[in-house]
Each structure stands twice: as C-alpha cells, then as structure tokens.
Amino acid sequence: MGSKIKEVDLGVSIGSLRLKNPVMTASGTFGYAREFEPYVNLHRLGAVVVKGISLEPRAGNPPPRIVETSCGMLNAIGLENVGVNRFISEKMEYLQVVNVPVVVNILGDTLEEYREIAERLADVKGVAAIEVNISCPNVKKGGVAFGTVPAMAAAVTAAVKQKSTVPVIVKLSPNVTDITLIARAVEDAGADSVSLINTLIGMAIDHRTRKPRLANVIGGLSGPAIKPVALRMVYQVAQAVSIPVIGIGGIETVEDVLEFMLAGATAIQIGTANFINPRASEEAVEGLAKYVAEQKLGSIREIIGAVVIP
Amino acid sequence: MSQFQKKTQITRLERLGSDIIRITLDSPEISKIATPGQFVMVRTGKGKDPLLRRPFSISQVSNGRYFQILFKVVGRGTALLAHCREGEYLSVLGPLGSGFQIDYTTINCLVGGGMGIAPLLFLGKWMSRKCPDNLPLVVIGARTEGELEPLVKDFQEIGLSVYPATDDGSLGHHGFVIDVLKNLNLDAGSKTYVCGPYPMMLAVHLFCKEKGFSCQVSMETSMACGMGACLGCIVPVERGGYAHSCFDGPVFDAEELLWEVK
Ligand SMILES: Cc1cc2nc3c(=O)[nH]c(=O)nc-3n(C[C@H](O)[C@H](O)[C@H](O)COP(=O)(O)OP(=O)(O)OC[C@H]3O[C@@H](n4cnc5c(N)ncnc54)[C@H](O)[C@@H]3O)c2cc1C
Ligand SMILES: Cc1cc2nc3c(=O)[nH]c(=O)nc-3n(C[C@H](O)[C@H](O)[C@H](O)COP(=O)(O)O)c2cc1C
Ligand code: FES
C-alpha cells in the first residue's frame, strides 16, 4: 500500500502551503493529534488541525455536552482548550516530531484576542497555517458571531493576517443567509483560503423530561446529517472566490472526499467520522491513492471542481 | 498507551434476563492488556444511524483472549447489540480509560448497582487471582432477583462472599446496597470500589467520607469518542472545572469529584 501512495500525485496547495494530500482532520475532532497515535500514521495525513485555541485557557460548558441525533450529533463543548501558551509549551513539541503539517485553529472574543494569538503563534516551529474560527460571538458587538457579518469577518481576517507568518485559512459559519458574501469579504481582506462548514446550530429536547438534551440548550450539528448542506455551500463558495476552498461536513469515506473535491474543494477535513472510525483520515488517503491510480489521473488536482452540471 | 480498533468475533451471546445480555468477544489484543475499570467503545450497527459507538465496561477477561461485556437494553444501540448472533463481528475500540487502583493490603469492598456490577466482576476476579489471601467483599443490588441472581452466582463461583440487595426484596436485603454496606461494619482503613447509578455512588461516597474509607467510583457520562478527542465526557471536579471521564477516568477517587447533592 505504502509504495502505491508514492506513485500517484495527491499533492495540493493551500496558498504557499504544499500538502502531500488533500486529507486534513477537522478542529475539535482530533484532539491535539497525539490521541490518534494508536490508530493513525499521522505523517501520512495532508495536515492535522488541532482543537481551537484561545488566548486564555477555557473550561468549556457544563454537561451534558453531546447528544446523538439522526445520522449526526450535537455538541456544545464550549471551546474548552488549554490556551495558546500551554498549547505551544505542551502540545507543539510532539507535533514537531511527528512531521505532519499542523494547522492551528484559533478563536477569540475580540479582534485584539485574535490578533494576539496570531502574534504568539508567529515563528512557532511546526505551525504550517492558522485556521480562524469566526463562528464565535463578538463580545464587544453584543455577542453577534463574527462570522455572520461580512465586515466583522473581514476585520478578523485582516487582524490575523497582519500578525501571521503562515497562510491564514478562515473557517466559515454556515449559520448565515448567504455564505458567499462572507467568503468574498474574507477573500478581499486577505484570507489565503476558506474552510467550510463549521457546525449548523441545532437543538434536541427530551419530551419526557421536557428539558433540552444539552446543558447549553443549543449546540452544533455535525456528521453525515449535514453533508448535503456542506456540499452545496462548498459548491457555491468555490464559484464565488478564487482562493482554495477546504470542504468540511459529514465526510467519512473516500467517496465523500471525491464528492467535495468535485464540488470545488481543493482539500477536505474529516471531523465527526474520527470518533466512529479513528482511522477514517488515513483510509481516505489510501482510497484517494487507489482512485487516482485506477482512474489513471495525472494528479488528484484534476478532479477539483470537475462536477459535471448538465 | 496501547489501544486497538478491532473487528472482534462474538463467540457467545447469553441472555441473563429478559433485557440483560452478555457478549463474549474474541480479541487477544484487548484481553491481554485490559485492567479492571477500563471500557471499550462498540459499534452497534453498520450504517450511519445510530452514528456513535457505545461505551461498555469490560466485565471479564479469560485466557488472555476473550473478554465480555454485560449490558441492559435501554435504547436503540443496545437493542441492536442484543439482536447480534454468535459468529458475527463487532467493531471495538479499546481498552480505554484508566481503571481501579487496587490496594491489596486492606479490606476491599466492591459495591455495585444495576449494570454497574459489570466492571466489578472483572475487578473481583483480578483481585482474587492476584491476592487469594485477601478476597474482597461484594455488595451488589438490582431491581429484582431475575437481574441479580446470575451475577451473584458469577461472584460466588470465584469464591467471593456476596451481600445482595433488591428493590423488591426478591433476593437478599429488601432495599438499597448502601444499607447493606453500613451493616457490614467494615474496619477503619477499608476501601470501596463503586459503580452504579449516580444516587447510589453519592450515598456510598458520603458514607465512606464519614467513616474515613477511601472510595473509588466509575463515572458514566455521555461519550462521543471514548479516546480524548471530543471533550464531551466531562465530570465536575472539586478543585474547579472538569475532568474527562474517558481518559482521566472513568474511575475517579470520589473525593476529587464535585458531587451534585439534590
Ligand atoms: C464508561 C462507561 C461504561 C459503561 N458500561 C456499561 C456496562 O457495562 N453495561 C451497560 O449496560 N451500560 C454501560 N454503560 C452505559 C451504556 O453506554 C449505555 O447504556 C448505552 O450507551 C445506551 O445506548 P442505547 O443506544 O441503547 O441507548 P440510547 O438510545 O443512547 O439511550 C437510551 C436511554 O438511555 C440513557 N442513556 C444513554 N447513555 C447513557 C449513559 N451513558 N448513562 C446513563 N444513561 C444513558 C439515555 O438518556 C436514554 O434515556 C456505560 C457507560 C459508560 C460511559
Ligand atoms: C465535538 C466537536 C468539537 C468541535 N470543535 C471545534 C473547534 O474547536 N473549532 C472549530 O473551528 N470547529 C470545531 N468543530 C467543528 C468541526 O471542525 C467541523 O467543522 C464540523 O464538525 C463539521 O464536520 P463533520 O461533520 O465532519 O464533523 C467541532 C466539532 C465537533 C463535533
Ligand atoms: S468521550 Fe470524547 S473525549 Fe471523552
């Protein structure tokens, strides 16, 4: 299997970042990568995206934080994380040794926080790119999510770009009326790439207790249930911008990966599927290699955006 | 940290009561390294619904090759597992979590309620093999005799003294395990190893605190991954914030947890 993978060209580029294949892991579903060491040859992945990092450590929401729904799950983790300083001192060392590009997902309550985290990550060895989670509430603007207003999304992008020394990927929220407007706004503000989608906001109620199933009342929907929505949004955004699009949402198998790439994604991220099959990401890499060989493609790049609209 | 994702064959499926099932799985990898209190994540179906794996305590291992899970049918996932056939394969992740810390030098008492008895069987067997001169006492309870009797027998077969309790009085003490535990008049310095419904574990914890006994509890939470990736499986801790049941636990020193006293 290993030799087969070397024969075919799976390489893709996200701005100045060259990936050996388009398969990445989605933030918040792959820990800090080390958790998957027993299951995955991490160096074979295109990149890993780590759990969202804030300036200060966050404890996250009270339990219950997760509930299963039809073909999916809702989560309200509340962005629990160790904070940027402990991330750099405790988690990066391992990732540097593994030899896999590390994309650091960042989040904040204010523009200043985003800027500050980007500054602390600048020049940290092993950080290949920053992914900006803009689905967070802007504390200074009454808690409206940055990602829902084009001007605010652009401002965060510009703030991070100003300090970052690596490509900046802006992760879009699907909880908007027109995602292409946000995508264009962040492209204009200098984003090197956009990734989408983050989770769709949802809710579950237990009719017997009459209570919400999540302590936070609402949470983010992920998994196979959201795939058609994600695929549609990737397709629309890929038409609207000229920077590379990273597709996310319900991807489990190589077939799913191919569909997102056909819709216009240059790379993809695997999220919830990691919980069910920790090897999902590596299996997708193997599947892509097989596909390129069987289809006798010059490279995987040939299928990006190649969906045939009759 | 060794963990495996394995297709494991069901070598035996037993119905211990109308809705209590015991499945024996063939996996040398998992069986060789599992310790009492650890658990596995099991896929209950092949499709996308139900999506997530389900956590089950490892309830026995044998011959360094087989391990068992013991569960009650409470929902869709467990109902699907109950309909499996011998010879079929289940996808299992494990062994996961950190289990019980055993002290062989003192009086040990295993306290279980309902399906919380599952990990205690493994623990009891382990203790009796490692230290046959200091066998633990077993206090277990369930709703009725039908649920409890097969498990009482399992403990007795390995030579342990069992003190049962049932809600309806059909077997042993008529009432709660906590009453049985109190009546045992254990010596100072005794240790309890507890798994069961939250109110039961809380009662045992409060009693142990009063008596100065150490108390380890196995906490059940909802889990998406079982391996430290989702951060969904939290339990509040005394020092503030949360611990994660799937890697800090599921077994915790009861004193470290922040208990919700209703
Ligand atoms: C570490 C750990 C070890 C466990 N070991 C065992 C075991 O050895 N034997 C056993 O029978 N069960 C055990 N459980 C509980 C078991 O995982 C659940 O019963 C199972 O996930 C239910 O799946 P389901 O699809 O049948 O039910 P669902 O359809 O998911 O739920 C049905 C009902 O059960 C409740 N429920 C679901 N999960 C839990 C849970 N984790 N705790 C309490 N209530 C729940 C739901 O609220 C609902 O009312 C363990 C749980 C954990 C976290
Ligand atoms: C438990 C959980 C935690 C997540 N945490 C983050 C996070 O910290 N930052 C972020 O940008 N996205 C986070 N996400 C969103 C995922 O990265 C991904 O965008 C989403 O789950 C859709 O992909 P999927 O259907 O493949 O899971 C999280 C998702 C889940 C399920
Ligand atoms: S169950 Fe996912 S981190 Fe514990």
Side-chain angles (χ1 to χ4, degrees):
Chain A
M1 199 76 223
S3 61
K4 225 182 202 168
I5 281 168
K6 277 188 205 103
E7 285 164 26
V8 300
D9 180 2
L10 296 181
V12 295
S13 298
I14 304 295
S16 60
L17 176 64
R18 305 260 176 279
L19 302 180
K20 58 181 162 292
N21 64 63
V23 179
M24 311 166 69
T25 59
S27 178
T29 67
F30 209 67
Y32 298 105
R34 190 171 201 161
E35 293 81 353
F36 285 76
E37 189 185 71
Y39 308 104
V40 179
N41 294 299
L42 296 166
H43 67 270
R44 287 180 69 184
L45 303 181
V48 299
V49 186
V50 295
K51 175 72 190 163
I53 304 290
S54 51
L55 198 53
E56 300 298 331
R58 294 193 185 194
N61 287 327
R65 287 178 172 185
I66 46 177
V67 56
E68 189 182 62
T69 55
S70 301
C71 299
M73 63 176 277
L74 287 167
N75 90 79
I77 305 300
L79 299 166
E80 173 188 335
N81 76 92
V82 296
V84 69
N85 289 347
R86 273 183 61 200
F87 170 73
I88 295 169
S89 63
E90 293 172 18
K91 309 287 180 186
M92 266 319 289
E93 195 180 343
Y94 172 77
L95 292 164
Q96 285 157 355
V97 177
V98 174
N99 191 23
V100 61
V102 178
V103 178
V104 183
N105 181 286
I106 67 169
L107 62 113
D109 288 334
T110 61
L111 280 182
E112 293 69 36
E113 277 185 29
Y114 279 103
R115 190 180 290 124
E116 172 90 29
I117 303 169
E119 191 164 9
R120 296 211 196 161
L121 288 170
D123 306 321
V124 173
K125 188 174 156 263
V127 175
I130 286 180
E131 180 179 61
V132 192
N133 178 358
I134 57 170
S135 297
C136 312
N138 182 345
V139 169
K140 290 196 180 154
K141 289 272 156 63
V144 178
F146 287 98
T148 58
V149 181
M152 274 174 13
V156 178
T157 307
V160 175
K161 266 309 273 187
Q162 202 189 0
K163 296 292 175 193
S164 179
T165 50
V166 290
V168 172
I169 303 161
V170 178
K171 182 162 178 180
L172 305 181
S173 163
N175 305 300
V176 294
T177 43
D178 184 352
I179 197 165
T180 63
L181 293 180
I182 314 284
R184 279 203 209 100
V186 303
E187 178 180 37
D188 291 344
D192 297 287
S193 168
V194 285
S195 57
L196 62 145
I197 59 176
N198 209 319
T199 52
L200 285 157
I201 297 175
M203 183 173 180
I205 295 175
D206 184 339
H207 68 85
R208 284 160 303 182
T209 61
R210 302 192 172 188
K211 287 185 188 154
R213 287 188 184 269
L214 293 172
N216 190 53
V217 183
I218 60 171
L221 183 64
S222 66
I226 71 168
K227 191 183 126 187
V229 179
L231 200 56
R232 182 267 293 179
M233 289 187 165
V234 164
Y235 173 67
Q236 290 178 327
V237 168
Q239 313 272 310
V241 299
S242 52
I243 49 179
V245 174
I246 302 172
I248 322 168
I251 300 177
E252 291 183 312
T253 62
V254 64
E255 289 81 9
D256 298 327
V257 175
L258 292 169
E259 290 170 26
F260 273 83
M261 294 190 76
L262 288 167
T266 297
I268 58 88
Q269 295 179 7
I270 293 182
T272 302
N274 293 308
F275 301 156
I276 300 124
N277 173 13
R279 287 190 37 76
S281 53
E282 193 174 349
E283 286 174 6
V285 175
E286 289 164 0
L288 282 179
K290 203 162 159 244
Y291 177 82
V292 169
E294 278 171 9
Q295 299 284 317
K296 302 195 168 58
L297 301 181
S299 91
I300 192 70
R301 297 182 294 281
E302 286 175 27
I303 69 158
I304 298 171
V307 61
V308 180
I309 307 286
Chain B
M1 182 183 51
S2 280
Q3 292 167 12
F4 301 93
Q5 177 177 20
K6 287 282 161 200
K7 288 247 172 291
T8 57
Q9 191 171 33
I10 301 175
T11 56
R12 211 165 156 207
L13 190 147
E14 303 158 83
R15 284 170 209 282
L16 303 188
S18 56
D19 56 0
I20 296 182
I21 313 284
R22 176 153 62 201
I23 293 182
T24 306
L25 293 158
D26 183 353
S27 172
E29 295 87 352
I30 292 172
S31 306
K32 277 206 181 80
I33 59 173
T35 62
Q38 287 193 296
F39 65 100
V40 289
M41 292 291 283
V42 182
R43 267 196 100 160
T44 60
K46 297 207 164 31
K48 298 180 198 291
D49 206 22
L51 184 69
L52 301 173
R53 290 170 180 268
R54 299 291 191 264
F56 297 99
S57 302
I58 296 172
S59 86
Q60 283 214 61
V61 302
S62 61
N63 302 333
R65 172 157 182 193
Y66 305 100
F67 74 91
Q68 293 183 327
I69 58 172
L70 172 75
F71 62 90
K72 188 170 177 158
V73 178
V74 296
R76 273 184 331 139
T78 45
L80 282 167
L81 286 178
H83 284 100
C84 287
R85 300 231 172 95
E86 290 176 359
E88 281 185 76
Y89 286 81
L90 288 179
S91 167
V92 176
L93 283 187
L96 302 165
S98 58
F100 292 101
Q101 303 287 323
I102 307 169
D103 180 351
Y104 295 102
T105 65
T106 182
I107 295 174
N108 287 324
C109 185
L110 317 187
V111 186
M115 286 304 102
I117 300 167
L120 301 183
L121 257 172
F122 186 11
L123 179 62
K125 213 171 175 179
W126 182 284
M127 284 175 160
S128 60
R129 207 183 46 215
K130 297 255 156 141
C131 198
D133 302 335
N134 180 18
L135 297 178
L137 304 169
V138 181
V139 180
I140 51 175
R143 278 182 318 191
T144 66
E145 179 181 10
E147 282 183 14
L148 198 57
E149 199 256 353
L151 305 174
V152 169
K153 271 203 189 135
D154 281 337
F155 283 106
Q156 285 170 341
E157 262 172 33
I158 50 175
L160 304 185
S161 311
V162 186
Y163 303 85
T166 45
D167 294 353
D168 63 1
S170 52
L171 180 68
H173 173 76
H174 186 169
F176 296 129
V177 290
I178 182 69
D179 306 322
V180 180
L181 182 66
K182 283 179 178 165
N183 288 335
L184 282 180
N185 293 316
L186 297 177
D187 293 346
S190 295
K191 300 207 155 149
T192 58
Y193 305 77
V194 193
C195 187
Y198 192 91
M200 183 211 101
M201 294 202 289
L202 173 59
V204 175
H205 159 58
L206 293 175
F207 170 69
C208 289
K209 204 168 157 178
E210 181 195 313
K211 291 285 177 184
F213 299 165
S214 97
C215 174
Q216 291 173 52
V217 293
S218 176
M219 298 299 287
E220 280 192 13
T221 63
S222 47
M223 290 183 173
C225 71
M227 46 172 286
C230 74
L231 306 181
C233 59
I234 47 158
V235 283
V237 290
E238 183 65 39
R239 67 181 142 76
Y242 304 108
H244 300 84
S245 177
C246 81
F247 56 94
D248 300 315
V251 178
F252 294 93
D253 184 335
E255 300 253 0
E256 284 174 15
L257 302 178
L258 184 65
W259 293 86
E260 192 180 326
V261 186
K262 288 221 173 89

